[in-house]
């Protein structure tokens, strides 16, 4: 791996956050099944992706590290940190969404069985529960927003690694961009895609979105 990111951090006063989706999970590899809150580990490819991301970010001096408690996120964070002696703080507010009856199933399978549930979700995820019994986009966005504001308040001027999940990241980004939440799928997040945010309380600047150069060798 030759490409590496250079930390763009020079005497910052805000909190710089490297927000990263976990590596490919076993269920991602098995036909992109919806993992949600199910605790599924990384696939072999997911491990490689996380190691490559770690190499790409090897020059970044992280002060803190956070991850969703789910194993695919924690393992990704550990592989990215590599030899850095930095504890990973787990926070349930950056869990993946609860997908209710969709968990463990492919989109094609559950849409065929219950198209209305998917159509209602796509039309208004803010107020619709995923998989009938899961979370709304509002719940995902609000818990993620509370997490990032707290991280900014606690760690001003620091550089923080955060490893989270596809839909939690997409709803958070949609919210700070002011997008309609029904358009959240227009934000693509590769496994181990890297987003760089400068956060100062409620003031958030997206410096980079879904950096994936480490996946293209």
């Amino acid at each position: 791996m030759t490409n590496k990111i250079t930390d763009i951090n020079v005497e910052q006063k805000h909190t710089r956050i490297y927000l990263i989706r976990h590596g490919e999970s076993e269920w991602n590899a098995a036909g992109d099944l919806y993992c949600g809150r199910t605790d599924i580990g990384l696939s072999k490819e997911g491990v490689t992706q996380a190691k490559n991301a770690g190499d790409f970010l090897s020059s970044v001096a992280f002060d803190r590290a956070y991850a969703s408690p789910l194993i695919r996120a924690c393992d990704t964070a550990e592989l990215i940190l590599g030899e850095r002696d930095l504890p990973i703080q787990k926070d349930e507010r950056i869990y993946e969404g609860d997908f209710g009856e969709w968990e463990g199933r492919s989109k094609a399978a559950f849409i065929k069985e219950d198209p209305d549930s998917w159509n209602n979700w796509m039309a208004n995820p803010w107020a619709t529960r995923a998989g009938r019994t899961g979370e709304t986009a509002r719940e995902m966005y609000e818990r993620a927003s509370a997490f990032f504001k707290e991280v900014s308040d606690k760690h001003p001027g620091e550089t923080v690694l955060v490893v989270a999940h596809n839909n939690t990241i997409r709803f958070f980004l949609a919210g700070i961009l002011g997008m309609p939440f029904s358009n959240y799928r227009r934000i693509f997040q590769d496994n181990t895609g890297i987003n760089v945010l400068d956060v100062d309380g409620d003031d958030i600047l997206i410096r980079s979105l879904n950096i994936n150069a480490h996946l293209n060798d």
Side-chain angles (χ1 to χ4, degrees):
M1 178 67 62
T2 55
N3 291 332
K4 294 186 180 182
I5 194 168
T6 300
D7 194 359
I8 35 185
N9 169 7
V10 179
E11 295 185 3
Q12 67 199 34
K13 295 182 180 179
H14 51 265
T15 305
R16 176 146 296 155
I17 295 177
Y18 286 77
L19 173 58
I20 301 175
R21 183 187 177 192
H22 62 78
E24 181 188 71
S25 72
E26 293 285 359
W27 278 9
N28 293 150
D32 209 17
L33 307 180
Y34 272 49
C35 297
R37 295 292 179 85
T38 310
D39 206 4
I40 304 300
L42 295 176
S43 67
K44 182 177 179 181
E45 176 63 20
V47 171
T48 298
Q49 292 168 343
K51 289 179 177 178
N52 287 349
D55 185 66
F56 188 70
L57 295 169
S58 61
S59 65
V60 178
F62 292 115
D63 299 296
R64 312 281 174 175
Y66 289 84
S68 154
L70 296 174
I71 192 169
R72 57 191 185 272
C74 291
D75 285 354
T76 298
E78 287 182 2
L79 291 165
I80 288 172
L81 290 173
E83 298 301 316
R84 296 177 180 89
D85 185 17
L86 193 63
I88 298 169
Q89 301 179 64
K90 300 176 184 179
D91 198 299
E92 293 184 355
R93 291 172 294 179
I94 50 173
Y95 262 142
E96 180 59 295
D98 180 341
F99 293 131
E101 296 173 5
W102 296 342
E103 299 226 0
R105 308 183 67 195
S106 70
K107 186 173 73 171
F110 61 67
I111 289 178
K112 182 178 180 180
E113 179 180 293
D114 184 7
D116 287 345
S117 181
W118 178 255
N119 291 337
N120 292 339
W121 167 258
M122 288 302 295
N124 186 13
W126 182 256
T128 302
R129 294 202 171 277
R132 292 188 176 273
T133 61
E135 280 188 292
T136 65
R138 177 176 183 170
E139 289 169 332
M140 294 185 218
Y141 171 71
E142 288 182 346
R143 60 177 166 78
S145 294
F147 166 79
F148 286 106
K149 186 177 188 307
E150 182 177 302
V151 168
S152 172
D153 290 345
K154 289 173 65 175
H155 309 302
E158 296 186 354
T159 299
V160 182
L161 171 68
V162 176
V163 179
H165 302 267
N166 190 28
N167 284 280
T168 300
I169 294 172
R170 291 197 289 183
F171 282 125
F172 177 66
L173 293 176
I176 64 178
L177 288 168
M179 290 174 54
F181 280 75
S182 57
N183 291 341
Y184 79 99
R185 293 179 68 83
R186 296 182 183 180
I187 300 174
F188 188 80
Q189 292 288 290
D190 283 297
N191 287 112
T192 66
I194 301 165
N195 309 283
V196 185
L197 313 177
D198 288 344
V199 184
D200 185 3
D202 294 322
D203 186 12
I204 303 174
L205 174 68
I206 300 175
R207 297 190 65 98
S208 300
L209 185 65
N210 195 42
I211 298 169
N212 61 6
H214 58 287
L215 300 175
N216 298 330
D217 276 5

